[in-house]
Amino acid sequence: MVLLGADCVEITRVRVDGGETVLWVQTPDAQRVLCGACGVRARSKGRREVRLRDAPGRDGGVCEVRWRKRIWWCPNAGCETRTWTEECELAAPRRVLTCRAEQWAAARLEAVEGSVASTARRLGVAWATVWSAVAAWACQVVGDPGRVGPVARLGLDETVMRSASRLARRRYVSAAVDAATGQVIDIFDGRNAADLHRWLEQQPAGWLAAIEVVCCDPHEGYRSGITRARRDTHLSDSVKIAADAFGIVRLANQALDGARRRVHNETTGHRGRKRDPLYHARKLLLTGAERLDAAGWDKMLAALDAADPTDEIRECWVAKEHVRDIFRADDPLDAQQHLNEAIAWCEHPSAPPELATLARTLRRWHTEIATAVRTRTSNARTEAANARINHVKRSARGFRNLRNYRLRILLAAGRQPCQTQPVTPIRTRRPSLVA
Protein backbone atom coordinates (compact mmCIF):
# COMPACT_ATOMS: atom_id res chain seq x y z
CA MET A 1 0.00 0.00 0.00
CA VAL A 2 1.30 3.46 -0.92
CA LEU A 3 1.43 5.79 2.07
CA LEU A 4 2.19 9.52 1.86
CA GLY A 5 2.95 9.13 -1.83
CA ALA A 6 5.75 6.62 -1.13
CA ASP A 7 5.59 2.82 -0.98
CA CYS A 8 8.89 2.46 0.90
CA VAL A 9 7.70 3.55 4.36
CA GLU A 10 5.38 2.17 7.01
CA ILE A 11 3.44 4.05 9.69
CA THR A 12 4.39 3.05 13.21
CA ARG A 13 2.45 5.58 15.26
CA VAL A 14 -0.30 8.19 14.84
CA ARG A 15 -1.23 11.06 17.12
CA VAL A 16 -3.61 14.00 16.81
CA ASP A 17 -2.12 17.01 18.55
CA GLY A 18 -4.19 20.22 18.61
CA GLY A 19 -6.03 19.42 15.40
CA GLU A 20 -2.81 18.47 13.60
CA THR A 21 -2.03 14.87 12.73
CA VAL A 22 1.46 13.59 13.51
CA LEU A 23 2.68 10.43 11.82
CA TRP A 24 5.77 8.45 12.75
CA VAL A 25 7.09 6.53 9.78
CA GLN A 26 10.14 4.47 8.97
CA THR A 27 11.45 2.19 6.29
CA PRO A 28 11.31 -1.57 6.87
CA ASP A 29 14.44 -3.26 8.14
CA ALA A 30 16.81 -3.78 5.25
CA GLN A 31 18.31 -7.18 4.69
CA ARG A 32 21.56 -6.05 3.08
CA VAL A 33 22.90 -2.55 2.36
CA LEU A 34 26.23 -2.03 0.62
CA CYS A 35 28.48 0.98 0.62
CA GLY A 36 28.19 2.83 -2.62
CA ALA A 37 31.90 3.63 -2.77
CA CYS A 38 33.65 0.35 -1.87
CA GLY A 39 30.86 -2.22 -1.89
CA VAL A 40 31.40 -3.39 1.70
CA ARG A 41 28.31 -4.32 3.66
CA ALA A 42 27.25 -1.30 5.71
CA ARG A 43 26.35 -1.33 9.36
CA SER A 44 23.55 0.55 11.09
CA LYS A 45 24.13 3.34 13.60
CA GLY A 46 20.49 3.54 14.60
CA ARG A 47 17.82 5.98 13.50
CA ARG A 48 17.48 9.74 13.62
CA GLU A 49 14.12 11.51 13.62
CA VAL A 50 13.55 14.00 10.78
CA ARG A 51 10.47 16.23 10.79
CA LEU A 52 8.66 16.84 7.48
CA ARG A 53 5.52 18.68 6.43
CA ASP A 54 3.06 16.85 4.22
CA ALA A 55 0.36 18.18 1.89
CA PRO A 56 -3.04 19.02 3.42
CA GLY A 57 -5.56 16.20 3.55
CA ARG A 58 -9.17 16.18 2.44
CA ASP A 59 -10.21 17.97 5.62
CA GLY A 60 -7.67 20.72 4.96
CA GLY A 61 -5.51 19.89 7.96
CA VAL A 62 -1.75 19.78 7.64
CA CYS A 63 0.03 16.60 8.57
CA GLU A 64 3.45 16.45 10.21
CA VAL A 65 5.59 13.45 9.32
CA ARG A 66 8.35 12.33 11.62
CA TRP A 67 10.61 10.06 9.66
CA ARG A 68 12.86 7.82 11.72
CA LYS A 69 15.69 7.88 9.23
CA ARG A 70 18.30 5.12 9.40
CA ILE A 71 22.02 6.06 9.50
CA TRP A 72 24.59 3.76 7.93
CA TRP A 73 28.37 3.61 8.27
CA CYS A 74 31.06 1.80 6.32
CA PRO A 75 33.39 -0.46 8.40
CA ASN A 76 36.11 -0.29 5.75
CA ALA A 77 38.84 1.94 7.21
CA GLY A 78 40.20 2.86 3.76
CA CYS A 79 36.84 4.00 2.38
CA GLU A 80 36.30 7.73 2.02
CA THR A 81 32.57 7.37 2.66
CA ARG A 82 32.18 7.09 6.41
CA THR A 83 28.50 7.64 7.21
CA TRP A 84 25.34 8.41 5.27
CA THR A 85 21.61 8.44 5.74
CA GLU A 86 19.13 6.40 3.81
CA GLU A 87 17.20 7.90 0.90
CA CYS A 88 13.57 7.32 0.04
CA GLU A 89 10.97 8.71 -2.35
CA LEU A 90 9.14 10.15 0.64
CA ALA A 91 11.29 13.28 0.57
CA ALA A 92 14.45 14.53 -1.12
CA PRO A 93 17.62 14.94 0.97
CA ARG A 94 17.83 18.07 3.11
CA ARG A 95 14.22 19.03 2.48
CA VAL A 96 11.51 20.07 4.91
CA LEU A 97 8.59 19.17 2.65
CA THR A 98 7.66 15.75 1.42
CA CYS A 99 7.64 15.15 -2.31
CA ARG A 100 3.85 15.09 -2.22
CA ALA A 101 3.78 18.47 -0.45
CA GLU A 102 6.16 19.95 -3.01
CA GLN A 103 3.95 18.75 -5.87
CA TRP A 104 0.88 20.12 -4.11
CA ALA A 105 2.51 23.53 -3.66
CA ALA A 106 3.66 23.61 -7.29
CA ALA A 107 0.20 22.64 -8.54
CA ARG A 108 -1.40 25.34 -6.37
CA LEU A 109 0.88 28.03 -7.80
CA GLU A 110 0.46 26.66 -11.31
CA ALA A 111 -3.30 27.08 -11.00
CA VAL A 112 -2.77 30.58 -9.46
CA GLU A 113 -4.82 29.59 -6.41
CA GLY A 114 -2.57 31.52 -4.04
CA SER A 115 0.83 33.07 -3.50
CA VAL A 116 4.01 31.55 -2.17
CA ALA A 117 3.39 33.28 1.16
CA SER A 118 -0.14 31.89 1.52
CA THR A 119 1.07 28.41 0.55
CA ALA A 120 3.85 28.65 3.14
CA ARG A 121 1.35 29.66 5.83
CA ARG A 122 -0.87 26.74 4.85
CA LEU A 123 2.01 24.29 5.25
CA GLY A 124 3.44 25.98 8.33
CA VAL A 125 6.90 26.58 6.85
CA ALA A 126 8.97 29.57 5.70
CA TRP A 127 8.57 31.35 2.37
CA ALA A 128 12.01 30.28 1.19
CA THR A 129 11.21 26.64 1.93
CA VAL A 130 8.22 26.63 -0.41
CA TRP A 131 9.86 28.69 -3.12
CA SER A 132 13.02 26.57 -3.27
CA ALA A 133 10.86 23.50 -3.88
CA VAL A 134 8.60 25.24 -6.40
CA ALA A 135 11.55 26.80 -8.22
CA ALA A 136 13.16 23.39 -8.68
CA TRP A 137 9.89 22.03 -10.04
CA ALA A 138 9.42 25.07 -12.33
CA CYS A 139 12.95 24.77 -13.70
CA GLN A 140 12.17 21.20 -14.75
CA VAL A 141 8.99 22.38 -16.50
CA VAL A 142 10.72 25.30 -18.22
CA GLY A 143 13.74 23.22 -19.21
CA ASP A 144 11.67 20.47 -20.82
CA PRO A 145 12.81 20.30 -24.48
CA GLY A 146 9.32 19.32 -25.61
CA ARG A 147 7.55 22.20 -23.88
CA VAL A 148 7.73 24.56 -26.87
CA GLY A 149 7.15 23.17 -30.32
CA PRO A 150 7.35 24.90 -33.71
CA VAL A 151 5.63 28.28 -33.73
CA ALA A 152 4.34 29.72 -37.00
CA ARG A 153 2.71 32.83 -35.56
CA LEU A 154 4.51 34.62 -32.77
CA GLY A 155 2.74 37.22 -30.63
CA LEU A 156 4.53 39.92 -28.65
CA ASP A 157 3.03 42.03 -25.89
CA GLU A 158 4.44 44.03 -23.00
CA THR A 159 3.27 44.32 -19.42
CA VAL A 160 4.34 46.39 -16.44
CA MET A 161 6.35 44.35 -13.97
CA ARG A 162 6.94 47.21 -11.54
CA SER A 163 5.19 50.56 -11.41
CA ALA A 164 7.13 53.80 -11.26
CA SER A 165 8.09 55.17 -7.87
CA ARG A 166 10.12 58.01 -6.48
CA LEU A 167 13.32 55.95 -6.64
CA ALA A 168 12.78 53.74 -9.70
CA ARG A 169 11.33 54.00 -13.18
CA ARG A 170 8.58 51.84 -14.53
CA ARG A 171 9.89 48.44 -15.55
CA TYR A 172 8.45 46.62 -18.55
CA VAL A 173 8.74 42.96 -19.49
CA SER A 174 7.68 41.40 -22.77
CA ALA A 175 5.92 38.10 -23.32
CA ALA A 176 6.53 35.94 -26.37
CA VAL A 177 3.35 33.94 -26.97
CA ASP A 178 2.23 31.40 -29.52
CA ALA A 179 -0.52 33.41 -31.20
CA ALA A 180 -2.26 30.22 -32.36
CA THR A 181 -2.54 28.45 -28.99
CA GLY A 182 -1.93 31.13 -26.34
CA GLN A 183 1.05 29.32 -24.80
CA VAL A 184 3.58 31.65 -23.18
CA ILE A 185 6.93 30.77 -24.73
CA ASP A 186 9.19 33.01 -22.69
CA ILE A 187 9.46 36.28 -20.75
CA PHE A 188 12.28 38.75 -21.33
CA ASP A 189 13.18 42.08 -19.81
CA GLY A 190 12.30 45.33 -21.61
CA ARG A 191 10.29 46.17 -24.69
CA ASN A 192 12.84 47.95 -26.89
CA ALA A 193 14.36 46.78 -30.15
CA ALA A 194 17.63 45.82 -28.46
CA ASP A 195 15.78 43.72 -25.85
CA LEU A 196 13.82 41.81 -28.50
CA HIS A 197 16.90 41.37 -30.69
CA ARG A 198 18.88 40.01 -27.74
CA TRP A 199 16.14 37.50 -26.93
CA LEU A 200 15.87 36.32 -30.54
CA GLU A 201 19.63 35.77 -30.69
CA GLN A 202 19.34 33.27 -27.84
CA GLN A 203 16.69 31.13 -29.55
CA PRO A 204 17.48 27.96 -31.57
CA ALA A 205 18.00 28.43 -35.29
CA GLY A 206 15.45 25.78 -36.24
CA TRP A 207 12.77 27.32 -34.06
CA LEU A 208 13.33 30.78 -35.55
CA ALA A 209 13.18 29.39 -39.08
CA ALA A 210 9.64 28.10 -38.50
CA ILE A 211 8.20 31.55 -37.70
CA GLU A 212 6.08 33.01 -40.49
CA VAL A 213 4.25 35.97 -38.93
CA VAL A 214 5.01 38.14 -35.90
CA CYS A 215 2.01 40.00 -34.47
CA CYS A 216 2.49 42.97 -32.15
CA ASP A 217 0.97 46.25 -31.09
CA PRO A 218 1.91 49.35 -33.14
CA HIS A 219 5.08 49.78 -31.12
CA GLU A 220 8.21 50.81 -33.00
CA GLY A 221 10.49 48.90 -30.65
CA TYR A 222 9.07 45.52 -31.69
CA ARG A 223 9.08 46.34 -35.39
CA SER A 224 12.68 47.56 -35.30
CA GLY A 225 13.73 44.49 -33.33
CA ILE A 226 12.19 42.14 -35.91
CA THR A 227 13.77 44.09 -38.76
CA ARG A 228 17.22 43.80 -37.17
CA ALA A 229 16.68 40.13 -36.36
CA ARG A 230 15.98 39.36 -40.01
CA ARG A 231 19.46 40.59 -40.79
CA ASP A 232 21.47 39.33 -37.81
CA THR A 233 19.77 36.09 -36.68
CA HIS A 234 18.32 32.95 -38.23
CA LEU A 235 14.92 34.62 -38.52
CA SER A 236 13.80 34.26 -42.12
CA ASP A 237 13.69 37.29 -44.38
CA SER A 238 10.16 36.32 -45.40
CA VAL A 239 8.78 36.81 -41.88
CA LYS A 240 5.87 39.24 -41.96
CA ILE A 241 4.94 41.73 -39.25
CA ALA A 242 1.23 42.08 -38.48
CA ALA A 243 -0.24 44.98 -36.51
CA ASP A 244 -2.69 43.85 -33.88
CA ALA A 245 -6.24 44.92 -34.67
CA PHE A 246 -7.01 45.63 -31.03
CA GLY A 247 -4.05 48.02 -30.78
CA ILE A 248 -5.03 49.95 -33.93
CA VAL A 249 -8.68 50.29 -32.91
CA ARG A 250 -7.58 51.35 -29.44
CA LEU A 251 -5.64 54.26 -30.98
CA ALA A 252 -8.79 55.33 -32.83
CA ASN A 253 -10.77 55.16 -29.58
CA GLN A 254 -8.11 57.21 -27.81
CA ALA A 255 -8.32 59.87 -30.52
CA LEU A 256 -12.12 60.01 -30.12
CA ASP A 257 -11.87 60.16 -26.33
CA GLY A 258 -9.21 62.88 -26.48
CA ALA A 259 -11.34 65.01 -28.81
CA ARG A 260 -14.35 64.58 -26.52
CA ARG A 261 -12.39 65.79 -23.50
CA ARG A 262 -10.90 68.74 -25.36
CA VAL A 263 -14.20 69.93 -26.83
CA HIS A 264 -15.94 69.53 -23.48
CA ASN A 265 -13.30 71.59 -21.68
CA GLU A 266 -13.42 74.29 -24.35
CA THR A 267 -17.22 74.60 -24.26
CA THR A 268 -17.88 74.23 -20.54
CA GLY A 269 -14.57 75.17 -18.88
CA HIS A 270 -14.53 72.14 -16.59
CA ARG A 271 -14.08 68.39 -16.67
CA GLY A 272 -16.89 65.99 -17.43
CA ARG A 273 -19.65 65.78 -14.86
CA LYS A 274 -22.51 63.40 -14.38
CA ARG A 275 -25.17 65.60 -16.01
CA ASP A 276 -23.03 66.70 -18.97
CA PRO A 277 -24.31 65.20 -22.24
CA LEU A 278 -20.89 64.27 -23.63
CA TYR A 279 -19.75 62.69 -20.40
CA HIS A 280 -23.00 60.79 -20.10
CA ALA A 281 -22.59 59.38 -23.63
CA ARG A 282 -18.84 58.66 -23.44
CA LYS A 283 -19.29 54.88 -23.56
CA LEU A 284 -21.82 55.03 -26.36
CA LEU A 285 -19.30 56.90 -28.49
CA LEU A 286 -16.82 54.04 -28.12
CA THR A 287 -19.42 51.35 -28.85
CA GLY A 288 -19.47 49.88 -32.34
CA ALA A 289 -22.16 51.26 -34.62
CA GLU A 290 -23.60 47.80 -35.29
CA ARG A 291 -24.07 47.22 -31.56
CA LEU A 292 -26.13 50.34 -30.87
CA ASP A 293 -29.89 49.95 -30.60
CA ALA A 294 -32.42 52.68 -31.35
CA ALA A 295 -32.27 54.12 -27.83
CA GLY A 296 -28.49 54.21 -27.97
CA TRP A 297 -28.47 56.02 -31.31
CA ASP A 298 -30.94 58.61 -30.05
CA LYS A 299 -28.97 59.23 -26.88
CA MET A 300 -25.62 59.55 -28.71
CA LEU A 301 -26.96 61.84 -31.43
CA ALA A 302 -28.72 64.02 -28.85
CA ALA A 303 -25.44 64.42 -26.94
CA LEU A 304 -23.55 65.38 -30.12
CA ASP A 305 -26.25 67.87 -31.16
CA ALA A 306 -26.23 69.48 -27.70
CA ALA A 307 -22.49 69.66 -26.94
CA ASP A 308 -20.55 69.33 -30.21
CA PRO A 309 -20.96 72.66 -31.96
CA THR A 310 -17.98 72.21 -34.32
CA ASP A 311 -18.71 68.55 -35.21
CA GLU A 312 -15.17 67.55 -34.25
CA ILE A 313 -16.31 64.69 -32.07
CA ARG A 314 -18.59 63.49 -34.84
CA GLU A 315 -15.67 63.44 -37.29
CA CYS A 316 -13.56 61.43 -34.83
CA TRP A 317 -16.42 59.00 -34.42
CA VAL A 318 -16.61 58.48 -38.19
CA ALA A 319 -12.83 57.96 -38.29
CA LYS A 320 -13.13 55.35 -35.56
CA GLU A 321 -15.74 53.46 -37.56
CA HIS A 322 -13.54 53.63 -40.68
CA VAL A 323 -10.71 51.99 -38.72
CA ARG A 324 -13.03 49.28 -37.40
CA ASP A 325 -14.23 48.57 -40.95
CA ILE A 326 -10.66 47.70 -41.92
CA PHE A 327 -10.59 44.61 -39.75
CA ARG A 328 -14.23 43.70 -40.29
CA ALA A 329 -13.74 43.28 -44.04
CA ASP A 330 -13.50 39.72 -45.37
CA ASP A 331 -11.75 40.66 -48.60
CA PRO A 332 -8.21 42.12 -48.34
CA LEU A 333 -9.02 44.49 -51.21
CA ASP A 334 -12.02 45.86 -49.32
CA ALA A 335 -9.84 46.22 -46.22
CA GLN A 336 -7.27 48.12 -48.27
CA GLN A 337 -9.99 50.46 -49.50
CA HIS A 338 -11.26 51.06 -45.96
CA LEU A 339 -7.70 51.78 -44.83
CA ASN A 340 -7.21 54.36 -47.58
CA GLU A 341 -10.55 55.95 -46.70
CA ALA A 342 -9.59 56.14 -43.03
CA ILE A 343 -6.25 57.79 -43.85
CA ALA A 344 -7.89 60.26 -46.24
CA TRP A 345 -10.56 61.12 -43.67
CA CYS A 346 -8.00 61.70 -40.92
CA GLU A 347 -5.72 63.79 -43.18
CA HIS A 348 -8.48 66.17 -44.31
CA PRO A 349 -7.49 69.81 -43.66
CA SER A 350 -10.55 70.38 -41.45
CA ALA A 351 -9.97 67.24 -39.36
CA PRO A 352 -9.45 67.63 -35.60
CA PRO A 353 -5.84 67.58 -34.37
CA GLU A 354 -6.33 64.21 -32.70
CA LEU A 355 -6.87 62.60 -36.11
CA ALA A 356 -3.54 63.88 -37.42
CA THR A 357 -1.68 61.60 -35.01
CA LEU A 358 -3.92 58.69 -35.94
CA ALA A 359 -3.31 59.33 -39.65
CA ARG A 360 0.46 59.24 -39.18
CA THR A 361 0.21 55.91 -37.35
CA LEU A 362 -2.05 54.39 -40.02
CA ARG A 363 0.28 55.51 -42.81
CA ARG A 364 3.41 54.35 -40.99
CA TRP A 365 1.89 50.93 -40.22
CA HIS A 366 0.12 50.58 -43.56
CA THR A 367 1.95 47.39 -44.60
CA GLU A 368 1.59 45.74 -41.19
CA ILE A 369 -2.15 46.43 -41.07
CA ALA A 370 -2.59 44.91 -44.53
CA THR A 371 -0.61 41.85 -43.40
CA ALA A 372 -2.85 41.41 -40.37
CA VAL A 373 -5.97 41.44 -42.56
CA ARG A 374 -4.49 39.17 -45.22
CA THR A 375 -3.15 36.55 -42.77
CA ARG A 376 -6.00 36.88 -40.26
CA THR A 377 -3.47 37.20 -37.45
CA SER A 378 -4.27 38.96 -34.20
CA ASN A 379 -3.02 39.13 -30.65
CA ALA A 380 -6.28 37.87 -29.16
CA ARG A 381 -4.69 34.82 -27.53
CA THR A 382 -1.66 36.91 -26.64
CA GLU A 383 -3.85 39.34 -24.75
CA ALA A 384 -5.51 36.41 -22.98
CA ALA A 385 -2.07 35.15 -21.93
CA ASN A 386 -1.19 38.66 -20.80
CA ALA A 387 -4.29 38.68 -18.60
CA ARG A 388 -3.08 35.47 -16.95
CA ILE A 389 0.34 37.09 -16.46
CA ASN A 390 -1.30 40.00 -14.67
CA HIS A 391 -3.28 37.50 -12.60
CA VAL A 392 0.00 35.93 -11.46
CA LYS A 393 1.37 39.36 -10.58
CA ARG A 394 -1.72 40.29 -8.58
CA SER A 395 -1.72 36.99 -6.71
CA ALA A 396 1.82 37.72 -5.45
CA ARG A 397 1.15 41.43 -4.82
CA GLY A 398 3.90 42.31 -7.30
CA PHE A 399 7.42 41.10 -8.02
CA ARG A 400 10.90 42.54 -7.62
CA ASN A 401 12.91 39.61 -8.94
CA LEU A 402 12.64 38.98 -12.69
CA ARG A 403 13.82 35.36 -12.38
CA ASN A 404 11.05 34.53 -9.90
CA TYR A 405 8.53 36.43 -12.02
CA ARG A 406 9.52 34.48 -15.14
CA LEU A 407 9.35 31.11 -13.38
CA ARG A 408 5.91 31.84 -11.91
CA ILE A 409 4.54 32.92 -15.30
CA LEU A 410 5.97 29.96 -17.21
CA LEU A 411 4.71 27.60 -14.51
CA ALA A 412 1.19 29.03 -14.81
CA ALA A 413 0.96 29.63 -18.57
CA GLY A 414 4.04 28.06 -20.14
CA ARG A 415 2.46 24.74 -21.10
CA GLN A 416 0.21 23.86 -23.98
CA PRO A 417 -3.38 24.78 -23.08
CA CYS A 418 -5.49 21.69 -22.39
CA GLN A 419 -8.87 21.08 -24.00
CA THR A 420 -11.39 21.30 -21.19
CA GLN A 421 -14.35 18.99 -21.00
CA PRO A 422 -17.58 20.74 -22.09
CA VAL A 423 -19.94 21.43 -19.22
CA THR A 424 -23.05 19.29 -19.18
CA PRO A 425 -26.15 21.37 -18.46
CA ILE A 426 -28.01 20.26 -15.37
CA ARG A 427 -31.78 20.46 -15.56
CA THR A 428 -33.17 22.01 -12.40
CA ARG A 429 -36.04 20.34 -10.62
CA ARG A 430 -39.40 21.83 -11.49
CA PRO A 431 -41.22 23.18 -8.43
CA SER A 432 -44.13 20.97 -7.45
CA LEU A 433 -46.41 23.98 -6.95
CA VAL A 434 -46.10 25.10 -10.58
CA ALA A 435 -49.29 24.23 -12.42
Side-chain angles (χ1 to χ4, degrees):
M1 184 176 63
V2 179
L3 300 174
L4 303 174
D7 57 355
C8 60
V9 297
E10 57 183 10
I11 299 178
T12 60
R13 183 183 171 191
V14 180
R15 188 184 71 185
V16 178
D17 187 7
E20 182 175 284
T21 305
V22 182
L23 302 178
W24 279 265
V25 300
Q26 66 181 22
T27 56
D29 294 335
Q31 298 295 331
R32 185 180 180 90
V33 176
L34 302 179
C35 176
C38 63
V40 177
R41 183 174 181 177
R43 297 183 182 179
S44 177
K45 293 183 64 176
R47 296 180 182 270
R48 180 176 60 193
E49 189 174 274
V50 177
R51 295 190 177 187
L52 303 172
R53 306 292 288 184
D54 193 35
R58 295 183 179 179
D59 57 351
V62 180
C63 177
E64 179 182 350
V65 179
R66 298 186 181 182
W67 180 14
R68 299 186 67 244
K69 206 170 187 181
R70 190 186 297 274
I71 304 175
W72 300 98
W73 69 283
C74 181
N76 186 5
C79 182
E80 297 181 357
T81 303
R82 302 306 303 164
T83 61
W84 69 93
T85 57
E86 63 180 351
E87 295 184 4
C88 177
E89 60 184 4
L90 175 64
R94 298 180 178 85
R95 293 292 180 88
V96 180
L97 301 177
T98 63
C99 293
R100 190 171 67 170
E102 292 180 355
Q103 295 175 5
W104 175 83
R108 191 167 188 261
L109 295 179
E110 182 178 358
V112 200
E113 295 179 350
S115 62
V116 179
S118 63
T119 305
R121 287 194 298 268
R122 184 81 177 274
L123 294 174
V125 295
W127 183 95
T129 302
V130 174
W131 178 244
S132 61
V134 173
W137 179 271
C139 288
Q140 294 180 3
V141 174
V142 173
D144 184 7
R147 184 182 67 88
V148 179
V151 175
R153 299 188 177 187
L154 179 65
L156 298 173
D157 196 10
E158 81 279 359
T159 183
V160 178
M161 174 184 170
R162 183 182 60 205
S163 301
S165 63
R166 184 174 58 89
L167 301 177
R169 300 177 61 182
R170 180 180 297 174
R171 185 176 183 180
Y172 287 94
V173 294
S174 296
V177 182
D178 188 348
T181 62
Q183 178 189 11
V184 178
I185 299 170
D186 201 359
I187 300 292
F188 59 92
D189 193 10
R191 60 169 184 169
N192 298 328
D195 302 322
L196 176 58
H197 184 268
R198 188 183 309 109
W199 179 79
L200 290 173
E201 284 182 331
Q202 301 171 358
Q203 305 310 309
W207 185 81
L208 291 177
I211 299 177
E212 300 175 359
V213 181
V214 178
C215 186
C216 61
D217 289 338
H219 175 53
E220 191 61 37
Y222 289 150
R223 183 167 65 172
S224 300
I226 296 298
T227 304
R228 288 177 52 187
R230 289 171 180 165
R231 183 178 61 252
D232 302 336
T233 66
H234 293 277
L235 196 66
S236 176
D237 295 336
S238 61
V239 172
K240 305 297 183 182
I241 303 177
D244 182 34
F246 177 80
I248 299 296
V249 175
R250 179 174 55 187
L251 294 178
N253 289 337
Q254 289 176 354
L256 173 59
D257 219 24
R260 177 187 62 80
R261 292 191 181 97
R262 179 179 57 81
V263 171
H264 185 273
N265 289 335
E266 291 175 354
T267 55
T268 62
H270 58 78
R271 297 178 59 183
R273 297 173 182 173
K274 183 176 181 180
R275 299 184 181 276
D276 294 332
L278 286 179
Y279 183 79
H280 199 52
R282 66 191 186 281
K283 294 184 179 179
L284 291 175
L285 292 171
L286 300 179
T287 305
E290 74 282 358
R291 298 177 58 188
L292 290 174
D293 54 5
W297 275 106
D298 295 340
K299 183 178 179 180
M300 186 184 70
L301 294 177
L304 293 177
D305 293 339
D308 186 22
T310 58
D311 289 340
E312 292 182 281
I313 303 177
R314 196 184 302 265
E315 293 182 10
C316 290
W317 184 88
V318 174
K320 183 258 296 185
E321 291 300 321
H322 278 312
V323 173
R324 294 183 69 250
D325 290 339
I326 298 172
F327 301 98
R328 294 175 60 196
D330 297 329
D331 188 2
L333 296 179
D334 294 340
Q336 184 71 29
Q337 181 180 356
H338 288 306
L339 178 57
N340 296 332
E341 291 176 357
I343 295 176
W345 183 272
C346 296
E347 289 182 342
H348 194 273
S350 61
E354 289 80 8
L355 295 183
T357 304
L358 179 61
R360 288 194 296 268
T361 302
L362 294 178
R363 187 170 292 280
R364 191 165 57 245
W365 288 79
H366 188 283
T367 304
E368 288 75 13
I369 295 175
T371 301
V373 176
R374 185 176 64 256
T375 61
R376 292 299 175 183
T377 304
S378 70
N379 259 358
R381 297 186 183 274
T382 306
E383 294 291 345
N386 200 16
R388 188 162 183 83
I389 290 173
N390 291 329
H391 185 29
V392 172
K393 184 176 67 174
R394 286 192 298 268
S395 68
R397 305 297 189 269
F399 285 85
R400 293 180 296 178
N401 189 311
L402 179 60
R403 178 181 176 273
N404 296 351
Y405 189 40
R406 176 176 176 270
L407 287 178
R408 284 287 307 274
I409 291 172
L410 295 182
L411 183 64
R415 296 184 180 181
Q416 285 282 356
C418 300
Q419 183 68 29
T420 58
Q421 182 71 17
V423 179
T424 303
I426 301 177
R427 180 179 299 175
T428 59
R429 181 181 300 175
R430 188 179 182 184
S432 59
L433 296 178
V434 177

